Every structure is written in C-alpha cells, then in structure tokens.
Amino acid sequence: MLKSAGTPRTEGPQLSRPQLILAFAVIGALLLSKFVYIETFKSYYTFFLIERFGMEIRQAQTILFVFLGAVAIGTFFGGPIGDRIGRRRVIWVSIVGALPFALLLPHVNLWGVIALSILVGLILSSAFSAIVVYAQELMPQKVGMVSGFVFGFAFGVGALGAAALGGIADLVGMQQVFNALSLLLFLGFLTALLPDIE
C-alpha cells in the first residue's frame, strides 16, 4: 500500500486540550513581549538617541545598525543553542535574561546604551528559533499550521504594538516609552507555565 504524500504523522507529547490551549496562550504572550519590544526598538531607537543625546541622524542610524546586527547574530545562534541545552531553557534565558539589561538601558550614558542594546539584541532574539520549534513539537502532526500561527502572530503583533507605542510616544515622549517598554519582558516569567516536553 502506498503512503499518502505530505507531512508524516509524528507522535507528539501526550497533552490534553486545556494544556495545549494554555501552552499556545503562553507562546502568544512570549511572542508579544519579544516582538513588540524588538519592533518598537527597531522603529524608534534612532529617535530615542536623538531625543536623549542630541545625536545626528547618521550617528543614530549607525548605532541602530549595530543593534540589528546583534539581533541577526542572536537569531542565528539561538537554534543551535536550543538543540544543545533545550528550547525551554533558551526561552527562559532569552526573555527573562534580557530583562535586567532592558530595564537599565534607558537610564545610562550613551556608551552604556550602546553596550546594553547589543546585549539585549543578542539575548532576546535568540528565543525565536526555540519558540518556533517548541511550538511545532507540541503539535508535530500540524507543523504547517503551527508555523503559520507563530510567524503570522509574531510579526503582526510586533508591527501593531510598535505602531501603538509610536502613537503614545507622540503624546508623552520617546524617553517615557523606552522607560516603560522593558516592562513587556516581565511576560517572560510565563515560561514557567510551559510544559516540559523535552
């Protein structure tokens, strides 16, 4: 008998429907915290530097480029690290580990801001690969649907959140938005609710 084409059926973790709903709700909250933070940072970092330090646009954009490079490197290495130490651990370290640096960032001098933004970019971006694979492992028989949810929700909520915070920045100032932005990363503690499927 010929097997039908498509994704092979893989036995996934034995989780109940409520456990799966909770796990995906937590994943959604983690994606919200990570992508709203990063998209807001990418969109308004130059304005923050100009407002806070009186920098020229070219200088501020150069520092933004350094941050984006850190994000790219963190994303690249997040997957292999997750394979080595476990994806749930990477999610923990990535979002919660970036929190102290993100809280401190708006209150230090220029060189401190640059150094902390690199650390935040490296650490926070390493979670994405781990979140995608972890979500796929929850429902390995529906990898396409899960991947679509993760990617679609991540980039959609990031863009909407950045736009909303940009509107708030028009009212209260970019400095105040960056002061409050790091509070999103407290959602990383919800990782404790994710089932250990590894």
Side-chain angles (χ1 to χ4, degrees):
M1 179 183 292
L2 293 174
K3 292 183 179 180
S4 59
T7 304
R9 295 260 171 196
T10 308
E11 190 67 28
Q14 300 302 311
L15 299 177
S16 66
R17 185 179 180 85
Q19 286 177 311
L20 282 174
I21 291 172
L22 175 62
F24 277 98
V26 171
I27 288 170
L30 296 176
L31 291 171
L32 183 147
S33 68
K34 173 188 177 330
F35 276 89
V36 171
Y37 186 95
I38 286 184
E39 291 302 318
T40 301
F41 212 97
K42 283 162 55 178
S43 300
Y44 306 116
Y45 190 26
T46 53
F47 300 108
F48 168 77
L49 292 170
I50 292 168
E51 182 179 302
R52 173 84 188 278
F53 300 108
M55 299 186 71
E56 295 180 0
I57 293 177
R58 181 178 295 181
Q59 293 173 315
Q61 288 177 334
T62 300
I63 297 173
L64 172 63
F65 178 79
V66 172
F67 170 75
L68 295 176
V71 169
I73 293 170
T75 303
F76 179 80
F77 285 104
I81 293 171
D83 290 338
R84 182 179 293 266
I85 69 171
R87 280 162 277 284
R88 195 165 174 267
R89 287 195 184 105
V90 170
I91 296 169
W92 260 118
V93 172
S94 175
I95 300 178
V96 177
L99 178 59
F101 302 117
L103 287 170
L104 187 60
L105 188 147
H107 308 289
V108 296
N109 61 24
L110 176 59
W111 290 108
V113 166
I114 295 171
L116 290 173
S117 69
I118 292 171
L119 286 172
V120 170
L122 283 170
I123 297 170
L124 190 57
S125 61
S126 65
F128 187 56
S129 301
I131 292 173
V132 171
V133 177
Y134 178 89
Q136 291 172 341
E137 289 175 341
L138 288 174
M139 299 179 69
Q141 71 279 14
K142 296 184 178 179
V143 170
M145 182 191 75
V146 170
S147 301
F149 162 76
V150 172
F151 279 91
F153 184 81
F155 293 105
V157 77
L160 291 172
L165 289 173
I168 295 172
D170 289 338
L171 298 174
V172 302
M174 197 59 65
Q175 177 74 36
Q176 285 68 27
V177 167
F178 268 72
N179 287 342
L181 184 61
S182 55
L183 299 178
L184 284 169
L185 301 186
F186 277 101
L187 291 173
F189 287 103
L190 293 175
T191 305
L193 301 177
L194 290 176
D196 188 356
I197 61 173
E198 298 173 289

